[in-house]
Amino acid sequence: MKPDNTPIPTLRPTPDGAVEIIDQTALPHACRIIRLGCLEDAVQAIRAMQVRGAPLIGVTAAYGLALALAARDDDATLAAAAAALAATRPTAVNLGWALARMQRRLARLPAGARAAIAWQEAGAIADEDAAQCRRIGEHGLALLRPLAARHGRLAVMTHCNAGRLAAIAFGTALAPIYAAFDAGIETHVWVSETRPRNQGLLTAWELQEHGVPHTLIADNAAGALLARGQADAVLVGADRIAANGDAANKIGTYLKALAARAAGVPFYVAAPRSTIDFSCPTGGAIPIEERHGDELRVAQGVDATGQPGTLRTISPDEAVANPAFDITPGQLIDAIVTERGHCPATAAGLRALYPETGDV
Ligand code: MRU
């Protein structure tokens, strides 16, 4: 929190033409702000997951392009910067969406006149993201209210971090939860740890910041809690939603969807338009990021004195697989919540919300 008790922004352009971000690799143990002053800083921040979460990756990439053009405003720089940023992380389509939007906006302008417009457009993408997440909160609350009315309180399970830290404000899956809590509904959140990178700790950190009651669980506890009726709904974000409603999200999401369906608990996916890839026919066509095995082998944390450190829990020789995302088929998703409302997780449902996309 800042001294005036407002949250520190996840990303903030500075008056001298740089960008400040919260280094999410240091959370929840320390809230460290770092400065991105050039394209390479932005590329590194996305790749190292100092910024993460689909919407925030998109906004950071847009500013990365603007930083590149501020250093050198010509066609070759624009193309090379877009390629470098696009190569950082493959699954979250918000990255490619933001870069394509920036390039469309800049294409009409002569070299030498683009840097200022790029900065403005990146700001517009950020502002729109915050506005869309706010509306996702309102539409998601409409789905949660009847559950809260039935149970006299609201218990929601989430996975990974799809909150304000993953976006500019509010987040996607956490936006309806914040809306419910702010509307005075007694709310409790089950926060799944989300091995191996533990993004659930980021969720716990920001729920704590907002004052929302929550409990952290090991990923493996989720099925038992759902089977026992301890959650009224599961609400997650997405990194890419295919045209048929299949959704890619953090690894482990699919298991929660299966357990929720078996327990008769509604399973909702919340995401803005920038996460929907109408050119991707099904979840099977979504690229899944495979990350370094050391994310499994080496635990990150702090020691008894609060100093950051690492602990090897698995031998370096042990073969490990580390797919970062999985696909939840649309049949397991009860609704997709976007800034326009909610719809069934089907091609027809998505087309009805976004008729301007036409047949895909
Ligand atoms: O690898 P990460 O931490 O970037 O993955 C993030 C997620 O999977 C989120 O659930 C998703 O991006 C939605 S964020 C609003």
Side-chain angles (χ1 to χ4, degrees):
M1 286 282 185
K2 293 196 286 190
D4 65 359
N5 228 21
T6 57
I8 296 170
T10 52
L11 178 149
R12 186 182 78 93
T14 65
D16 62 346
V19 175
E20 283 180 355
I21 58 161
I22 298 178
D23 177 359
Q24 299 195 27
T25 61
L27 289 173
H29 306 293
C31 186
R32 189 167 69 206
I33 309 299
I34 55 176
R35 178 182 161 93
L36 312 182
C38 61
L39 167 70
E40 290 69 29
D41 290 348
V43 166
Q44 172 61 13
I46 299 172
R47 187 176 288 135
M49 294 178 65
Q50 290 172 315
V51 286
R52 40 136 315 271
L56 188 60
I57 290 171
V59 174
T60 308
Y63 273 110
L65 216 53
L67 288 169
L69 290 173
R72 191 183 175 95
D73 186 347
D74 59 27
D75 290 345
T77 302
L78 178 58
L85 289 159
T88 50
R89 297 198 68 193
T91 303
V93 73
N94 308 58
L95 174 63
W97 173 90
L99 291 173
R101 172 169 160 172
M102 293 288 287
Q103 285 172 297
R104 271 198 311 275
R105 177 75 180 91
L106 300 171
R108 294 191 290 268
L109 304 170
R114 293 186 282 212
I117 302 297
W119 196 254
Q120 274 173 25
E121 190 68 6
I125 291 174
D127 291 347
E128 285 170 32
D129 181 63
Q132 290 183 341
C133 287
R134 180 193 288 276
R135 288 202 292 278
I136 288 172
E138 292 160 4
H139 294 305
L141 177 57
L143 288 172
L144 297 180
R145 270 193 195 282
L147 301 175
R150 194 177 315 148
H151 301 282
R153 48 99 190 104
L154 185 64
V156 183
M157 182 179 289
T158 191
H159 188 60
C160 192
N161 171 261
R164 82 169 190 94
L165 286 170
I168 293 297
F170 309 107
T172 57
L174 292 198
I177 294 171
Y178 288 133
F181 178 78
D182 292 346
I185 294 172
E186 187 186 329
T187 304
H188 177 266
V189 187
W190 295 108
V191 179
S192 190
E193 185 186 21
T194 315
R195 282 278 288 151
R197 288 192 66 102
N198 297 336
Q199 286 95 330
L201 303 189
L202 306 177
T203 296
W205 183 85
E206 64 164 272
L207 288 173
Q208 178 71 34
E209 180 184 58
H210 200 97
V212 182
H214 60 277
T215 306
L216 198 63
I217 55 166
D219 298 324
N220 289 340
L225 291 177
L226 288 165
R228 279 194 236 133
Q230 288 180 263
D232 308 317
V234 180
L235 192 42
V236 298
D239 289 83
R240 190 183 302 227
I241 298 175
N244 71 341
D246 295 348
N249 192 48
K250 182 52 55 190
I251 193 80
T253 302
Y254 173 52
L255 279 176
K256 285 192 173 57
L258 287 169
R261 179 57 56 89
V265 173
F267 183 92
Y268 301 127
V269 172
R273 168 65 184 87
S274 50
T275 302
I276 305 171
D277 185 355
F278 282 101
S279 73
C280 183
T282 68
I286 298 176
I288 300 295
E289 179 178 12
E290 182 74 30
R291 291 190 61 87
H292 201 284
D294 279 355
E295 290 185 350
L296 262 83
R297 296 188 188 99
V298 181
Q300 315 274 340
V302 289
D303 66 16
T305 67
Q307 287 307 304
T310 59
L311 188 69
R312 176 169 292 287
T313 56
I314 300 175
S315 140
D317 305 329
E318 191 66 47
V320 299
N322 188 14
F325 301 94
D326 59 25
I327 307 293
T328 299
Q331 299 94 289
L332 293 178
I333 300 170
D334 290 281
I336 293 175
V337 186
T338 82
E339 72 285 353
R340 290 209 182 161
H342 61 84
C343 70
T346 60
L350 287 169
R351 271 205 307 271
L353 268 193
Y354 297 96
E356 70 277 15
T357 55
D359 281 334
V360 286

